[in-house]
Amino acid sequence: MQPLPELEAHPRLAALIARARAGAAARLPRIGLVYPCDALALDAARRIAASGIGQPVLVGPRAAIAQAAAAAGVDLSGMAQVDTADIGAAAALEATRLARNGQVDVLMKGSLHTDELMSAVVHKENGLRGERRVSHVFLFDLPHYPKLLAMADCVVNIAPDLRTKQDILGNAVALLQRLGNPRPKVGIVAAVETVTAAIPATLDAQALVAQAQAGAWPGAIVEGPFGFDNVISAEAARIKKIAGVVPGDADLLLLPDLNAGNMLYKSFVYMGGGDCAGLVLGARVPVVVTSRADSAGARIASVALAVLAAG
């Protein structure tokens, strides 16, 4: 498959797709597309198959999928299908059953609501809960940053407490290590870089750094709290006399809450010229929950990230 035009300006994400394609050469991972009943979802299925990174498994009402495929001009021949009732919740329930039984390796949201899919994923009895709380991570290719930059959590956890931040950090560090970075540099971001009781996120940062120093996330280098300027710019950190190895060279930013994370993520994309792959972690299989506004390149890069995470 030719490189996606959408990723010409984002070679690191293109390389991620190429790496997933190489890893899938021996056995194509099965990507369970949940309720793929519109043109965007079926275009994603077509691109997944054409890219060589996975084998789409369409989980949803056969008649509705066929109707949407005909309208979108997508050829379904050669794509596996699992028929369900014509409601998103039914497709989500069946997809989680397939994942639980090892019949699909990755789940990807189709045209159902994200909460319908995630409700099935985190269901206590019939879902895909793992050892940690479910969280989300983005992997950004930014034109003015020298490497891929991970950021969490911008999608799932609204106002995480310290215990939840431990899981968010653990999920993201494990992903980066699986991708081949044994010593990821983590910056805990807050509004300011000084610890103050008036800003609870700085107290959480202090606690997370102490836990990391005690061995909570082997291999990871965790520092903070940082303001955004001095975690991204080594020069800004030098001017403010902030020591450490993370400033200017972070692999992962841990954000204080969903408001900060979501606004920064959209700023990276819409103002900073970046693009990203995103993934829900902490379940028994990786889950892709791309937005309708995401580029085609971001969709396929997200699936590639999921394939690499599934290993």
Side-chain angles (χ1 to χ4, degrees):
M1 182 180 181
Q2 294 298 316
L4 288 165
E6 297 89 344
L7 291 181
E8 287 180 356
H10 303 101
R12 300 180 190 94
L13 289 182
L16 195 76
I17 295 172
R19 181 177 168 186
R21 183 186 303 118
R27 173 190 170 274
L28 278 176
R30 295 153 299 185
I31 315 298
L33 270 84
V34 187
Y35 202 74
C37 298
D38 67 2
L40 276 175
L42 290 169
D43 180 66
R46 179 184 63 80
R47 289 176 180 270
I48 290 167
S51 70
I53 61 174
Q55 173 189 353
V57 178
L58 310 181
V59 184
R62 188 179 297 271
I65 293 171
Q67 183 177 8
V74 174
D75 182 4
L76 298 181
S77 61
M79 293 190 194
Q81 295 190 49
V82 177
D83 194 20
T84 73
D86 192 5
I87 53 174
L93 186 64
E94 177 62 15
T96 55
R97 186 191 69 79
L98 293 171
R100 234 179 12 257
N101 294 339
Q103 294 171 270
V104 296
D105 304 294
V106 170
L107 294 182
M108 182 177 187
K109 181 175 82 77
S111 53
L112 77 171
H113 293 297
T114 298
D115 59 356
E116 287 183 293
L117 175 56
M118 293 310 301
S119 291
V121 169
V122 302
H123 192 278
K124 288 186 178 179
E125 287 79 31
N126 302 316
L128 300 169
R129 286 173 177 255
E131 294 180 358
R132 298 191 188 101
R133 185 183 179 92
V134 166
S135 63
H136 187 278
V137 67
F138 278 119
L139 205 55
F140 278 92
D141 189 342
L142 298 163
H144 301 297
Y145 200 72
K147 56 184 174 179
L148 288 170
L149 177 64
M151 194 159 64
D153 181 340
C154 309
V155 174
V156 172
N157 292 286
I158 298 172
D161 58 13
L162 178 60
R163 181 68 187 87
T164 301
K165 287 178 182 178
Q166 292 169 358
D167 284 347
I168 294 170
L169 181 54
N171 286 337
V173 164
L175 174 67
L176 293 177
Q177 290 176 332
R178 191 171 189 85
L179 292 177
N181 183 352
R183 291 183 62 78
K185 297 174 182 176
V186 183
I188 313 297
V189 181
V192 297
E193 58 276 356
T194 53
V195 177
T196 170
I199 303 178
T202 64
L203 300 177
D204 289 348
Q206 184 181 50
L208 291 168
V209 169
Q211 290 165 5
Q213 291 171 346
W217 303 281
I221 302 169
V222 181
E223 297 176 351
F226 293 109
F228 180 73
D229 56 345
N230 45 66
V231 77
I232 288 295
S233 168
E235 177 65 7
R238 185 191 66 77
I239 290 170
K240 291 188 174 182
K241 296 182 172 56
I242 299 170
V245 299
V246 172
D249 196 34
D251 297 296
L252 167 66
L253 305 183
L254 186 75
L255 281 301
D257 58 33
L258 189 72
N259 281 314
N262 192 269
M263 286 186 278
L264 186 55
Y265 138 57
K266 289 174 180 173
S267 297
F268 277 0
V269 173
Y270 290 99
M271 297 293 288
D275 213 340
C276 58
L279 198 59
V280 173
L281 303 169
R284 287 161 60 179
V285 301
V287 183
V288 178
V289 289
T290 52
S291 164
R292 297 179 65 83
D294 288 339
S295 71
R299 290 172 182 274
I300 299 307
S302 296
V303 176
L305 182 59
V307 166
L308 293 169

